[in-house]
Amino acid sequence: MKIALIHDYLTQRGGAERVFELLCKRYPQADVFTSLYDPKKTIDLGERIVNTTFLQKIPGAVKYFRMMAPFYFPAFRSLDLQDYDLIISSSTSFAKAVCKRPDAYHVCFCHNVTRFLWDTETYLREYGDYRYFAPLIQQIFQLMRNVDLKYAQEPDLYIANSSVVARRIQQIYGKPAIVINYPIDTSNFVYSDTKEDYYLASARMISYKRLDIIVEAFNWLGWRLLISGDGPEQARLKAKALNNIEFLGHVSDRQRKDLFSKAKSVIVAALEDYGLVPVEANASGTPVIAYGAGGVLDTQIHGTTGVFFKRQTPDSLQAALLESGRITWNYENIRNHAVNNFSEQVFFRKVEQLIDQTCITH
């Protein structure tokens, strides 16, 4: 069976790219396709040949890849995939549009519907200049929504990373999706049952991550909080924080591993579609204190692997922190929960069983 692996663009390294990296490792003989490729800023594909589209030849396209939005659908439609029996796309937007042979099978790992089209205000509010161009952008996006709906019908099977995303795929694209929670490489995390006297938040410093809630809660409690990551909100958050809160900036993988394993808890205040951080914390034997909505409802067990807070407010988070302090955590059980449910082995067993079953009936 000849396999093609497709990703929207390989110009950054985030959760979607980490999942694609796992797919590339799992299928070493598969051919890799993407619209734009910057090997210095994305996953390490070694000597793997990466096939790109005509967008790669446009000067500045790699650097300003978001500006290429109107051109991605024709770019993916132009890819010649007629030789492939199985197409596996990894997409938050455009890769699902690829064209296949009638008898081939297309599985789409859909990390989300195209957010900038279907939730424009939320997605673009981080970009201050958006408001100046909003009327023109909205006209373009309305045309693109129609195209997105059309090409969303191409995949034969959708796999969603959470029940939240599966519902969104059904509601917007009218396509059913099977939920298979995305994995982490559990070997990248160190288990420790000895916790130090600090809490940890690990996130990009952008507004929807709601680090402001965490800072305000810990200002009031006076407990030690470490925050790793950087982003446009950093200066504002630092100005608000008291001396018990330390900003670490970007940390190495080794530092991050150590921080996760020794924290009393990892705090997540964002509404995430899925969210790898809570699972990574559990893989380190560390409980999570999270806003109780979205993807964490798929990955966390209240009172066993973490504690939920009901509202995105400092008061609600403080109550959860106090509740967590009254629990005698079984750190080994927390680690086992992550390994038994979110390892690569569990993930690919589910995926390959599903692909085998659906390809037989195709």
Side-chain angles (χ1 to χ4, degrees):
M1 179 184 290
K2 195 168 183 183
I3 301 174
L5 300 176
I6 325 285
H7 190 66
D8 290 325
Y9 33 69
L10 293 172
T11 56
Q12 57 188 356
R13 184 179 177 87
E17 287 73 31
R18 291 200 294 271
V19 172
F20 189 66
E21 186 174 31
L22 293 177
L23 291 169
C24 290
K25 290 178 181 177
R26 187 69 173 187
Y27 302 105
Q29 303 305 317
D31 292 332
V32 176
F33 294 83
T34 191
S35 60
L36 293 163
Y37 179 47
D38 185 347
K40 294 180 181 178
K41 293 187 177 179
T42 191
I43 56 177
D44 182 8
L45 293 172
E47 300 300 316
R48 200 86 167 254
I49 294 173
V50 178
N51 301 282
T52 57
T53 67
F54 62 78
L55 295 178
Q56 189 77 19
K57 298 178 182 178
I58 298 176
V62 170
K63 183 176 181 179
Y64 301 104
F65 64 95
R66 290 185 178 88
M67 302 296 289
M68 298 293 107
F71 307 106
Y72 282 115
F73 283 128
F76 278 105
R77 295 300 285 179
S78 72
L79 289 174
D80 182 3
L81 302 177
Q82 295 304 299
D83 290 340
Y84 296 94
D85 306 297
L86 175 62
I87 294 167
I88 300 176
S89 63
S90 163
S91 182
T92 56
S93 46
F94 309 107
K96 60 181 178 289
V98 293
C99 189
K100 66 179 180 66
R101 284 197 330 257
D103 63 327
Y105 199 75
H106 180 179
V107 178
C108 178
F109 286 83
C110 187
H111 313 293
N112 209 333
V113 300
T114 310
R115 278 187 63 202
F116 72 89
L117 294 180
W118 300 103
D119 190 14
T120 304
E121 290 293 332
T122 301
Y123 188 82
L124 293 180
R125 66 187 174 193
E126 302 299 331
Y127 304 95
D129 294 336
Y130 163 67
R131 63 184 181 276
Y132 300 117
F133 304 100
L136 175 61
I137 289 174
Q138 287 291 4
Q139 290 181 35
I140 295 171
F141 281 9
Q142 183 54 53
L143 294 173
M144 291 183 66
R145 287 184 197 106
N146 296 333
V147 178
D148 192 43
L149 279 174
K150 176 183 176 182
Y151 290 141
Q153 310 309 307
E154 292 286 351
D156 299 292
L157 172 68
Y158 275 99
I159 296 176
N161 56 8
S162 71
S163 53
V164 173
V165 173
R167 285 195 297 271
R168 204 170 289 155
I169 293 168
Q170 178 69 64
Q171 290 166 357
I172 294 177
Y173 295 153
K175 300 279 283 187
I178 305 296
V179 177
I180 301 180
N181 298 132
Y182 290 174
I184 60 166
D185 184 347
T186 53
S187 66
N188 280 342
F189 297 90
V190 176
Y191 168 73
S192 175
D193 59 3
T194 302
K195 306 300 180 183
E196 297 182 3
D197 190 24
Y198 68 86
Y199 293 82
L200 175 69
S202 177
R204 287 176 295 149
M205 293 188 185
I206 53 180
S207 62
Y208 96 87
K209 294 293 186 180
R210 299 311 309 268
L211 290 167
D212 57 323
I213 294 171
I214 302 175
V215 168
E216 287 183 39
F218 277 83
N219 277 346
W220 182 82
L221 290 167
W223 298 352
R224 188 181 180 208
L225 171 69
L226 305 183
I227 302 178
S228 69
D230 49 31
E233 292 278 290
Q234 188 173 49
R236 187 176 72 86
L237 292 167
K238 279 186 173 181
K240 180 184 290 190
L242 299 181
N243 292 336
N244 56 303
I245 300 173
E246 183 179 350
F247 292 82
L248 304 177
H250 176 74
V251 298
S252 68
D253 288 345
R254 184 173 182 177
Q255 288 175 293
R256 189 171 183 268
K257 190 186 303 186
D258 190 55
L259 288 167
F260 269 66
S261 68
K262 294 178 180 176
K264 295 182 74 170
S265 290
V266 170
I267 319 296
V268 178
L271 172 57
E272 299 279 11
D273 297 320
Y274 178 50
L276 292 172
V277 166
V279 182
E280 292 171 339
N282 289 168
S284 310
T286 300
V288 173
I289 300 174
Y291 174 49
V296 293
L297 299 179
D298 286 357
T299 65
Q300 300 300 305
I301 303 170
H302 184 87
T304 300
T305 67
V307 171
F308 296 137
F309 54 99
K310 296 179 180 179
R311 298 178 307 281
Q312 286 178 306
T313 64
D315 288 350
S316 188
L317 172 54
Q318 288 163 16
L321 284 160
L322 293 170
E323 179 183 351
S324 174
R326 294 191 292 268
I327 296 173
T328 301
W329 296 104
N330 186 320
Y331 301 125
E332 187 174 354
N333 282 353
I334 294 172
R335 162 75 175 178
N336 289 340
H337 168 75
V339 172
N340 294 338
N341 293 284
F342 306 106
S343 67
E344 291 180 40
Q345 292 80 3
V346 171
F347 173 73
F348 280 112
R349 185 175 68 243
K350 292 178 180 178
V351 167
E352 288 167 0
Q353 285 175 350
L354 181 60
I355 291 175
D356 288 345
Q357 290 168 4
T358 50
C359 283
I360 289 171
T361 58
H362 177 58

